[in-house]
Amino acid sequence: MRIILLLAAPLLLGGCLVRTAADIVTLPVKAASAGVDALTTSQAEADQRRGREIREAEEREGRKARRREREERRRREQAEQEAEDPQP
């Protein structure tokens, strides 16, 4: 029984060793490509970022416009109220 296990062990472990060796060899390549990907921006990513910036700028302008309209409406209503109720 021991002889069978000893004869089968290299066959069973051979694939594991080859796989580990392949992983060790390809690790620097994978790390380098991940670093390059992190440092570079694809055209699609640049387009998405630019679109997001434009959308956020439009949202800011919309909020400012609504705030100005509210303030203008309040001033107008306050002026109308002061015109109706003059101070003695």
Side-chain angles (χ1 to χ4, degrees):
M1 183 70 171
R2 288 184 187 175
I3 295 173
I4 295 173
L5 288 176
L6 290 175
L7 292 175
L11 296 175
L12 296 174
L13 296 176
C16 182
L17 294 175
V18 170
R19 177 68 176 207
T20 302
D23 288 344
I24 291 171
V25 170
T26 59
L27 183 64
V29 174
K30 290 179 182 178
S33 67
V36 169
D37 285 345
L39 295 176
T40 59
T41 304
S42 70
Q43 186 62 43
E45 291 170 331
D47 292 343
Q48 288 174 350
R49 184 180 309 124
R50 182 66 182 138
R52 186 179 316 115
E53 290 171 356
I54 291 171
R55 187 182 67 248
E56 289 172 353
E58 289 174 349
E59 290 172 355
R60 279 192 302 273
E61 289 300 317
R63 284 191 297 269
K64 288 178 183 179
R66 287 189 298 274
R67 188 176 301 126
R68 283 191 303 266
E69 289 172 4
R70 278 193 308 267
E71 290 173 359
E72 184 180 328
R73 188 176 341 109
R74 287 178 186 153
R75 282 190 217 110
R76 192 174 42 239
E77 290 172 355
Q78 188 177 17
E80 289 174 1
Q81 188 177 19
E82 288 175 358
E84 291 174 359
D85 300 327
Q87 295 290 331

Coordinates of all heavy atoms in Angstrom, one line a residue:
M1 N 0.8 -1.2 0.0 CA 0.0 0.0 0.0 C 0.9 1.3 0.0 O 0.6 2.2 -0.7 CB -0.9 -0.1 1.2 CG -1.9 1.1 1.3 SD -3.1 0.9 0.0 CE -4.2 2.1 0.5
R2 N 1.9 1.2 0.8 CA 2.8 2.4 0.9 C 3.5 2.6 -0.4 O 3.8 3.7 -0.9 CB 3.9 2.2 2.0 CG 3.3 2.3 3.4 CD 4.4 2.2 4.4 NE 3.8 2.2 5.7 CZ 4.5 2.0 6.8 NH1 5.8 1.8 6.7 NH2 4.0 2.0 8.0
I3 N 3.9 1.5 -1.1 CA 4.6 1.6 -2.4 C 3.7 2.3 -3.4 O 4.1 3.1 -4.2 CB 5.0 0.2 -2.8 CG1 6.0 -0.3 -1.8 CG2 5.6 0.3 -4.2 CD1 6.4 -1.8 -2.1
I4 N 2.4 1.9 -3.4 CA 1.5 2.5 -4.3 C 1.3 4.0 -4.1 O 1.3 4.8 -5.0 CB 0.1 1.8 -4.3 CG1 0.2 0.4 -4.7 CG2 -0.9 2.6 -5.1 CD1 -1.0 -0.4 -4.5
L5 N 1.2 4.4 -2.8 CA 1.1 5.8 -2.5 C 2.4 6.6 -2.9 O 2.4 7.7 -3.4 CB 0.9 6.0 -1.0 CG -0.5 5.7 -0.5 CD1 -0.6 5.8 1.0 CD2 -1.6 6.5 -1.2
L6 N 3.6 6.0 -2.6 CA 4.8 6.6 -3.0 C 5.0 6.8 -4.5 O 5.5 7.8 -5.0 CB 6.0 5.9 -2.4 CG 6.2 5.9 -0.9 CD1 7.3 5.0 -0.4 CD2 6.4 7.4 -0.4
L7 N 4.5 5.8 -5.2 CA 4.6 5.9 -6.7 C 3.6 6.9 -7.3 O 3.8 7.5 -8.3 CB 4.3 4.5 -7.3 CG 5.4 3.5 -7.1 CD1 5.0 2.1 -7.6 CD2 6.8 3.9 -7.7
A8 N 2.4 7.0 -6.6 CA 1.4 7.9 -7.1 C 1.6 9.4 -6.7 O 1.1 10.3 -7.3 CB 0.0 7.5 -6.6
A9 N 2.4 9.6 -5.6 CA 2.6 10.9 -5.1 C 3.2 11.9 -6.1 O 2.7 13.0 -6.2 CB 3.4 10.9 -3.8
P10 N 4.2 11.6 -6.8 CA 4.7 12.5 -7.8 C 3.7 12.9 -8.9 O 3.7 14.0 -9.3 CB 5.9 11.8 -8.4 CG 6.3 10.7 -7.4 CD 5.1 10.4 -6.7
L11 N 2.9 11.9 -9.3 CA 1.9 12.2 -10.3 C 0.8 13.1 -9.8 O 0.4 14.0 -10.5 CB 1.3 10.9 -10.8 CG 2.2 9.9 -11.5 CD1 1.5 8.6 -11.8 CD2 2.8 10.6 -12.7
L12 N 0.4 12.9 -8.5 CA -0.6 13.7 -7.9 C -0.1 15.1 -7.6 O -0.8 16.1 -7.7 CB -1.2 13.0 -6.7 CG -1.9 11.7 -6.9 CD1 -2.3 11.1 -5.6 CD2 -3.1 11.9 -7.8
L13 N 1.1 15.2 -7.1 CA 1.7 16.5 -6.7 C 2.3 17.2 -7.8 O 2.6 18.4 -7.7 CB 2.7 16.3 -5.6 CG 2.1 15.7 -4.3 CD1 3.3 15.5 -3.3 CD2 1.1 16.7 -3.7
G14 N 2.6 16.6 -8.9 CA 3.3 17.2 -10.1 C 2.5 18.4 -10.6 O 3.0 19.5 -10.9
G15 N 1.2 18.3 -10.8 CA 0.3 19.3 -11.3 C 0.3 20.5 -10.3 O 0.3 21.7 -10.7
C16 N 0.3 20.2 -9.0 CA 0.3 21.2 -8.0 C 1.6 22.1 -8.1 O 1.6 23.3 -8.0 CB 0.1 20.6 -6.7 SG 0.0 21.8 -5.3
L17 N 2.7 21.4 -8.2 CA 4.0 22.1 -8.3 C 4.1 22.9 -9.6 O 4.6 24.0 -9.5 CB 5.1 21.0 -8.2 CG 5.3 20.3 -6.9 CD1 6.3 19.2 -7.0 CD2 5.5 21.2 -5.8
V18 N 3.6 22.4 -10.7 CA 3.7 23.1 -11.9 C 2.8 24.3 -11.8 O 3.2 25.4 -12.2 CB 3.2 22.2 -13.1 CG1 3.0 23.0 -14.4 CG2 4.2 21.1 -13.3
R19 N 1.6 24.2 -11.2 CA 0.7 25.3 -11.1 C 1.4 26.4 -10.2 O 1.3 27.6 -10.5 CB -0.6 24.8 -10.5 CG -1.6 25.9 -10.2 CD -2.1 26.4 -11.5 NE -3.2 27.4 -11.2 CZ -4.1 27.7 -12.0 NH1 -4.2 27.1 -13.2 NH2 -5.0 28.5 -11.6
T20 N 2.0 26.0 -9.1 CA 2.6 26.9 -8.2 C 3.8 27.7 -8.9 O 4.0 28.9 -8.8 CB 3.1 26.2 -6.9 OG1 2.0 25.6 -6.3 CG2 3.8 27.2 -6.0
A21 N 4.6 26.9 -9.7 CA 5.7 27.5 -10.4 C 5.2 28.5 -11.4 O 5.7 29.6 -11.6 CB 6.5 26.4 -11.1
A22 N 4.1 28.2 -12.1 CA 3.5 29.1 -13.1 C 3.0 30.4 -12.4 O 3.2 31.5 -12.9 CB 2.4 28.4 -13.8
D23 N 2.4 30.2 -11.2 CA 1.9 31.4 -10.5 C 3.0 32.3 -10.1 O 2.9 33.5 -10.1 CB 1.1 30.9 -9.2 CG -0.3 30.3 -9.6 OD1 -0.7 30.5 -10.8 OD2 -0.9 29.7 -8.8
I24 N 4.1 31.7 -9.6 CA 5.3 32.5 -9.2 C 5.9 33.2 -10.4 O 6.3 34.4 -10.2 CB 6.3 31.5 -8.5 CG1 5.8 31.0 -7.2 CG2 7.6 32.3 -8.3 CD1 6.6 30.0 -6.5
V25 N 6.0 32.6 -11.5 CA 6.6 33.2 -12.7 C 5.7 34.3 -13.2 O 6.2 35.4 -13.6 CB 6.8 32.2 -13.8 CG1 7.2 32.8 -15.1 CG2 7.9 31.2 -13.4
T26 N 4.4 34.2 -13.2 CA 3.5 35.2 -13.7 C 3.2 36.3 -12.7 O 2.6 37.3 -13.1 CB 2.2 34.6 -14.2 OG1 1.5 33.9 -13.1 CG2 2.4 33.6 -15.4
L27 N 3.5 36.2 -11.5 CA 3.2 37.2 -10.5 C 3.8 38.5 -10.8 O 3.0 39.5 -10.7 CB 3.6 36.7 -9.1 CG 3.2 37.6 -7.9 CD1 1.7 37.7 -7.8 CD2 3.8 37.1 -6.6
P28 N 5.0 38.7 -11.1 CA 5.6 40.0 -11.4 C 4.9 40.7 -12.6 O 4.7 41.9 -12.6 CB 7.1 39.8 -11.7 CG 7.4 38.4 -11.1 CD 6.1 37.7 -11.1
V29 N 4.5 39.9 -13.6 CA 3.8 40.4 -14.8 C 2.5 40.9 -14.4 O 2.0 42.0 -14.8 CB 3.7 39.4 -15.9 CG1 2.9 39.9 -17.0 CG2 5.1 38.9 -16.3
K30 N 1.7 40.2 -13.6 CA 0.4 40.6 -13.1 C 0.5 41.9 -12.3 O -0.3 42.8 -12.4 CB -0.3 39.5 -12.3 CG -0.7 38.3 -13.2 CD -1.3 37.2 -12.4 CE -1.7 36.0 -13.2 NZ -2.3 35.0 -12.4
A31 N 1.5 41.9 -11.4 CA 1.7 43.1 -10.5 C 2.0 44.3 -11.4 O 1.5 45.4 -11.1 CB 2.8 42.8 -9.5
A32 N 2.9 44.2 -12.4 CA 3.2 45.3 -13.2 C 2.1 45.8 -14.0 O 1.8 47.0 -14.1 CB 4.4 44.9 -14.1
S33 N 1.3 44.9 -14.6 CA 0.1 45.3 -15.4 C -0.9 46.0 -14.5 O -1.6 46.9 -14.9 CB -0.5 44.1 -16.1 OG -1.0 43.2 -15.2
A34 N -1.1 45.5 -13.3 CA -2.0 46.1 -12.3 C -1.6 47.5 -12.0 O -2.4 48.5 -11.9 CB -2.2 45.3 -11.1
G35 N -0.3 47.7 -11.8 CA 0.3 49.1 -11.6 C 0.1 50.0 -12.7 O -0.3 51.2 -12.6
V36 N 0.3 49.5 -13.9 CA 0.1 50.3 -15.1 C -1.4 50.7 -15.3 O -1.7 51.8 -15.6 CB 0.6 49.6 -16.4 CG1 0.2 50.3 -17.7 CG2 2.1 49.5 -16.3
D37 N -2.3 49.7 -15.0 CA -3.7 50.0 -15.1 C -4.1 51.0 -14.1 O -5.0 51.9 -14.4 CB -4.5 48.7 -14.9 CG -4.5 47.8 -16.1 OD1 -4.1 48.3 -17.2 OD2 -4.8 46.6 -16.0
A38 N -3.5 51.0 -12.9 CA -3.9 52.0 -11.9 C -3.4 53.4 -12.3 O -4.0 54.4 -11.9 CB -3.3 51.5 -10.6
L39 N -2.3 53.5 -13.0 CA -1.7 54.8 -13.3 C -2.2 55.4 -14.6 O -2.2 56.6 -14.8 CB -0.2 54.6 -13.4 CG 0.6 54.3 -12.1 CD1 2.0 54.1 -12.4 CD2 0.3 55.3 -11.1
T40 N -2.8 54.6 -15.5 CA -3.3 55.1 -16.7 C -4.8 55.1 -16.7 O -5.4 54.4 -16.0 CB -2.8 54.2 -17.9 OG1 -3.3 52.9 -17.7 CG2 -1.3 54.2 -18.0
T41 N -5.3 56.0 -17.6 CA -6.7 56.1 -17.7 C -7.1 55.8 -19.1 O -6.6 56.4 -20.1 CB -7.1 57.6 -17.4 OG1 -6.7 57.9 -16.1 CG2 -8.6 57.8 -17.4
S42 N -8.1 55.0 -19.3 CA -8.6 54.7 -20.6 C -9.5 55.8 -21.1 O -9.9 56.7 -20.4 CB -9.4 53.3 -20.6 OG -10.6 53.5 -20.0
Q43 N -9.7 55.8 -22.4 CA -10.6 56.9 -23.0 C -12.0 56.8 -22.4 O -12.6 57.8 -22.1 CB -10.6 56.7 -24.5 CG -11.3 57.9 -25.2 CD -10.7 59.2 -24.9 OE1 -9.4 59.3 -25.0 NE2 -11.5 60.2 -24.6
A44 N -12.5 55.6 -22.2 CA -13.8 55.4 -21.7 C -13.9 56.0 -20.2 O -14.8 56.6 -19.9 CB -14.2 53.9 -21.6
E45 N -12.8 55.7 -19.4 CA -12.8 56.2 -18.1 C -12.7 57.8 -18.1 O -13.4 58.4 -17.3 CB -11.6 55.7 -17.3 CG -11.8 54.2 -17.0 CD -10.5 53.6 -16.4 OE1 -9.4 54.1 -16.8 OE2 -10.6 52.6 -15.7
A46 N -11.9 58.3 -19.0 CA -11.8 59.8 -19.1 C -13.2 60.4 -19.5 O -13.6 61.4 -19.0 CB -10.7 60.1 -20.1
D47 N -13.9 59.7 -20.5 CA -15.2 60.2 -20.9 C -16.2 60.2 -19.8 O -17.0 61.1 -19.6 CB -15.7 59.4 -22.1 CG -14.9 59.6 -23.3 OD1 -14.1 60.6 -23.4 OD2 -15.0 58.7 -24.3
Q48 N -16.2 59.1 -19.0 CA -17.1 59.0 -17.9 C -16.8 60.0 -16.8 O -17.7 60.7 -16.3 CB -16.9 57.6 -17.2 CG -17.5 56.5 -18.0 CD -17.2 55.1 -17.4 OE1 -16.4 55.0 -16.4 NE2 -17.9 54.1 -17.9
R49 N -15.5 60.3 -16.5 CA -15.2 61.3 -15.6 C -15.6 62.7 -16.0 O -16.1 63.5 -15.3 CB -13.6 61.3 -15.3 CG -13.2 62.3 -14.2 CD -11.8 62.3 -13.9 NE -11.2 61.0 -13.7 CZ -10.2 60.5 -14.4 NH1 -9.6 61.2 -15.3 NH2 -9.8 59.3 -14.1
R50 N -15.4 63.0 -17.3 CA -15.8 64.3 -17.9 C -17.3 64.4 -17.8 O -17.8 65.5 -17.5 CB -15.2 64.4 -19.3 CG -15.5 65.7 -19.9 CD -14.8 66.9 -19.2 NE -15.2 68.1 -19.8 CZ -15.4 69.2 -19.2 NH1 -15.3 69.2 -17.9 NH2 -15.8 70.3 -19.8
G51 N -18.0 63.4 -18.2 CA -19.5 63.4 -18.1 C -19.9 63.7 -16.7 O -20.9 64.5 -16.5
R52 N -19.3 63.0 -15.7 CA -19.7 63.2 -14.3 C -19.4 64.7 -13.9 O -20.2 65.3 -13.2 CB -18.9 62.3 -13.5 CG -19.3 62.3 -12.0 CD -18.5 61.3 -11.1 NE -18.4 60.0 -11.8 CZ -17.2 59.5 -12.1 NH1 -16.1 60.1 -11.9 NH2 -17.1 58.3 -12.7
E53 N -18.3 65.2 -14.3 CA -17.9 66.6 -14.0 C -19.0 67.6 -14.5 O -19.4 68.5 -13.9 CB -16.5 66.9 -14.4 CG -15.4 66.2 -13.7 CD -14.1 66.4 -14.3 OE1 -14.0 67.0 -15.4 OE2 -13.1 66.0 -13.7
I54 N -19.3 67.3 -15.8 CA -20.3 68.2 -16.4 C -21.7 68.1 -15.7 O -22.3 69.1 -15.5 CB -20.5 67.9 -17.9 CG1 -19.2 68.2 -18.7 CG2 -21.7 68.5 -18.6 CD1 -19.1 67.7 -20.1
R55 N -22.1 66.9 -15.4 CA -23.4 66.7 -14.7 C -23.4 67.4 -13.4 O -24.3 68.0 -13.0 CB -23.7 65.2 -14.6 CG -25.1 64.9 -14.1 CD -25.3 63.4 -13.9 NE -24.5 62.9 -12.9 CZ -23.5 62.0 -13.1 NH1 -23.2 61.6 -14.3 NH2 -22.8 61.5 -12.1
E56 N -22.3 67.2 -12.6 CA -22.2 67.8 -11.3 C -22.2 69.3 -11.4 O -22.8 70.0 -10.6 CB -20.9 67.3 -10.6 CG -21.0 65.9 -10.1 CD -19.7 65.3 -9.6 OE1 -18.7 66.0 -9.7 OE2 -19.8 64.2 -9.1
A57 N -21.5 69.9 -12.4 CA -21.5 71.3 -12.6 C -22.9 71.8 -12.9 O -23.4 72.9 -12.4 CB -20.6 71.7 -13.7
E58 N -23.6 71.1 -13.8 CA -25.0 71.5 -14.1 C -25.9 71.4 -12.9 O -26.8 72.3 -12.7 CB -25.6 70.6 -15.2 CG -24.9 70.8 -16.6 CD -25.4 69.8 -17.6 OE1 -26.0 68.8 -17.3 OE2 -25.1 70.1 -18.8
E59 N -25.7 70.4 -12.0 CA -26.5 70.3 -10.8 C -26.2 71.5 -9.9 O -27.1 72.0 -9.3 CB -26.2 69.0 -10.1 CG -26.7 67.7 -10.8 CD -26.3 66.4 -10.2 OE1 -25.4 66.5 -9.3 OE2 -26.7 65.4 -10.7
R60 N -24.9 71.8 -9.8 CA -24.6 73.0 -8.9 C -25.2 74.3 -9.5 O -25.8 75.1 -8.7 CB -23.1 73.2 -8.9 CG -22.3 72.3 -7.9 CD -20.9 72.7 -7.7 NE -20.1 72.8 -8.9 CZ -19.5 71.7 -9.5 NH1 -19.5 70.6 -8.8 NH2 -18.8 71.8 -10.6
E61 N -25.2 74.5 -10.8 CA -25.8 75.7 -11.4 C -27.3 75.7 -11.2 O -27.9 76.7 -10.9 CB -25.5 75.7 -12.9 CG -24.0 76.1 -13.2 CD -23.6 77.4 -12.6 OE1 -24.4 78.4 -12.7 OE2 -22.5 77.5 -12.0
G62 N -27.9 74.5 -11.3 CA -29.4 74.4 -11.0 C -29.7 74.7 -9.6 O -30.7 75.4 -9.3
R63 N -28.9 74.3 -8.6 CA -29.2 74.6 -7.2 C -29.0 76.1 -7.0 O -29.8 76.7 -6.3 CB -28.2 73.8 -6.3 CG -28.6 72.4 -6.1 CD -27.8 71.7 -5.0 NE -26.4 71.7 -5.3 CZ -25.7 70.7 -5.9 NH1 -26.4 69.6 -6.3 NH2 -24.4 70.8 -6.0
K64 N -28.0 76.7 -7.6 CA -27.8 78.1 -7.5 C -28.9 78.9 -8.1 O -29.4 79.9 -7.5 CB -26.4 78.6 -8.1 CG -25.2 78.1 -7.4 CD -24.0 78.6 -8.1 CE -22.7 78.1 -7.5 NZ -21.5 78.5 -8.2
A65 N -29.4 78.5 -9.2 CA -30.5 79.2 -9.9 C -31.8 79.1 -9.0 O -32.5 80.1 -8.9 CB -30.7 78.6 -11.3
R66 N -32.0 77.9 -8.5 CA -33.2 77.8 -7.6 C -33.1 78.6 -6.4 O -34.1 79.3 -6.0 CB -33.4 76.3 -7.3 CG -34.0 75.5 -8.4 CD -34.4 74.1 -8.0 NE -33.3 73.3 -7.4 CZ -32.4 72.6 -8.1 NH1 -32.5 72.5 -9.4 NH2 -31.5 71.9 -7.5
R67 N -31.9 78.7 -5.8 CA -31.7 79.5 -4.6 C -31.9 81.0 -5.0 O -32.6 81.7 -4.2 CB -30.3 79.3 -4.1 CG -30.0 80.0 -2.8 CD -28.6 79.7 -2.2 NE -28.4 78.2 -2.1 CZ -27.4 77.5 -2.6 NH1 -26.5 78.1 -3.3 NH2 -27.4 76.2 -2.4
R68 N -31.4 81.5 -6.1 CA -31.6 82.9 -6.5 C -33.1 83.2 -6.8 O -33.6 84.2 -6.4 CB -30.8 83.1 -7.8 CG -29.3 83.3 -7.6 CD -28.7 83.9 -8.9 NE -28.9 83.0 -10.1 CZ -28.1 82.1 -10.5 NH1 -27.0 81.9 -9.8 NH2 -28.4 81.4 -11.6
E69 N -33.8 82.2 -7.4 CA -35.2 82.4 -7.6 C -36.0 82.5 -6.3 O -36.9 83.4 -6.1 CB -35.8 81.3 -8.4 CG -35.3 81.3 -9.9 CD -35.7 80.0 -10.6 OE1 -36.4 79.2 -10.0 OE2 -35.4 79.9 -11.8
R70 N -35.6 81.7 -5.3 CA -36.3 81.7 -4.0 C -36.0 83.1 -3.3 O -36.9 83.7 -2.8 CB -35.8 80.6 -3.1 CG -36.5 79.3 -3.3 CD -36.2 78.3 -2.2 NE -34.8 78.2 -1.9 CZ -34.0 77.2 -2.4 NH1 -34.5 76.3 -3.2 NH2 -32.7 77.2 -2.1
E71 N -34.7 83.5 -3.4 CA -34.4 84.8 -2.7 C -35.1 85.9 -3.4 O -35.6 86.8 -2.8 CB -32.9 85.0 -2.8 CG -32.2 84.0 -1.8 CD -30.7 84.1 -2.0 OE1 -30.2 84.9 -2.8 OE2 -30.0 83.4 -1.2
E72 N -35.2 85.9 -4.7 CA -35.9 87.0 -5.5 C -37.3 87.0 -5.2 O -37.9 88.0 -5.0 CB -35.7 86.7 -7.0 CG -36.2 87.8 -7.9 CD -36.0 87.5 -9.3 OE1 -35.0 86.9 -9.7 OE2 -36.9 87.9 -10.1
R73 N -37.9 85.8 -5.1 CA -39.4 85.7 -4.7 C -39.6 86.3 -3.3 O -40.6 87.0 -3.1 CB -39.8 84.2 -4.8 CG -41.3 84.1 -4.7 CD -41.9 82.7 -4.8 NE -41.0 81.7 -5.5 CZ -40.3 80.7 -4.9 NH1 -40.5 80.5 -3.6 NH2 -39.5 79.9 -5.6
R74 N -38.7 85.9 -2.4 CA -38.9 86.4 -1.0 C -38.7 87.9 -1.0 O -39.5 88.6 -0.3 CB -37.8 85.8 -0.1 CG -38.1 84.3 0.2 CD -37.1 83.7 1.1 NE -37.3 82.3 1.3 CZ -36.3 81.4 1.5 NH1 -35.1 81.8 1.6 NH2 -36.6 80.2 1.6
R75 N -37.8 88.5 -1.7 CA -37.6 89.9 -1.7 C -38.8 90.6 -2.3 O -39.3 91.6 -1.9 CB -36.4 90.3 -2.5 CG -35.1 90.1 -1.8 CD -33.9 90.7 -2.5 NE -32.7 89.9 -2.3 CZ -32.2 89.1 -3.2 NH1 -32.6 89.2 -4.5 NH2 -31.2 88.4 -3.0
R76 N -39.3 90.0 -3.4 CA -40.5 90.6 -4.1 C -41.7 90.6 -3.2 O -42.4 91.5 -3.0 CB -40.8 89.8 -5.4 CG -41.8 90.5 -6.3 CD -41.9 89.8 -7.6 NE -42.0 88.3 -7.5 CZ -41.1 87.5 -8.1 NH1 -40.1 88.0 -8.9 NH2 -41.2 86.2 -8.0
E77 N -41.9 89.4 -2.5 CA -43.0 89.3 -1.6 C -42.9 90.3 -0.4 O -43.9 90.9 0.1 CB -43.2 87.9 -1.1 CG -43.7 86.9 -2.1 CD -43.6 85.5 -1.6 OE1 -43.1 85.2 -0.5 OE2 -44.0 84.6 -2.4
Q78 N -41.6 90.4 0.1 CA -41.4 91.3 1.2 C -41.6 92.8 0.7 O -42.2 93.6 1.5 CB -40.0 91.2 1.7 CG -39.6 92.0 2.9 CD -38.2 91.7 3.4 OE1 -37.4 91.2 2.6 NE2 -38.0 92.0 4.7
A79 N -41.2 93.1 -0.5 CA -41.5 94.5 -1.0 C -43.0 94.7 -1.2 O -43.5 95.8 -0.9 CB -40.7 94.7 -2.3
E80 N -43.7 93.7 -1.7 CA -45.1 93.9 -1.8 C -45.8 94.1 -0.5 O -46.7 94.9 -0.3 CB -45.7 92.7 -2.5 CG -45.4 92.6 -4.0 CD -45.8 91.3 -4.6 OE1 -46.5 90.4 -3.9 OE2 -45.6 91.1 -5.8
Q81 N -45.4 93.3 0.5 CA -45.9 93.4 1.9 C -45.6 94.8 2.5 O -46.5 95.4 3.1 CB -45.4 92.3 2.8 CG -46.1 92.2 4.1 CD -45.6 91.1 4.9 OE1 -44.5 90.5 4.7 NE2 -46.3 90.7 5.9
E82 N -44.4 95.3 2.3 CA -44.1 96.6 2.8 C -44.9 97.7 2.1 O -45.2 98.7 2.7 CB -42.6 96.8 2.7 CG -41.8 96.0 3.6 CD -40.3 96.2 3.4 OE1 -39.9 96.9 2.4 OE2 -39.5 95.6 4.1
A83 N -45.2 97.5 0.8 CA -46.0 98.5 0.1 C -47.4 98.5 0.6 O -48.1 99.5 0.6 CB -45.9 98.2 -1.4
E84 N -47.9 97.3 1.0 CA -49.3 97.2 1.5 C -49.4 97.8 2.9 O -50.4 98.4 3.3 CB -49.8 95.8 1.4 CG -50.0 95.2 0.0 CD -50.3 93.8 0.0 OE1 -50.4 93.2 1.1 OE2 -50.5 93.2 -1.0
D85 N -48.4 97.5 3.7 CA -48.4 97.9 5.1 C -47.3 98.9 5.3 O -46.3 98.6 5.9 CB -48.2 96.7 6.0 CG -49.2 95.6 5.9 OD1 -50.4 96.0 5.6 OD2 -48.9 94.4 6.0
P86 N -47.5 100.2 5.0 CA -46.5 101.2 5.2 C -46.3 101.4 6.7 O -47.2 101.4 7.5 CB -47.0 102.4 4.5 CG -48.5 102.2 4.4 CD -48.7 100.8 4.4
Q87 N -45.1 101.7 7.1 CA -44.7 102.0 8.5 C -45.1 103.4 8.8 O -44.9 104.3 8.1 CB -43.2 101.8 8.7 CG -42.7 100.4 8.5 CD -43.1 99.5 9.6 OE1 -43.3 99.9 10.7 NE2 -43.3 98.2 9.2
P88 N -45.8 103.6 10.0 CA -46.2 105.0 10.3 C -45.1 105.9 10.8 O -44.1 105.5 11.2 CB -47.3 104.8 11.4 CG -47.2 103.4 11.8 CD -46.4 102.6 10.9

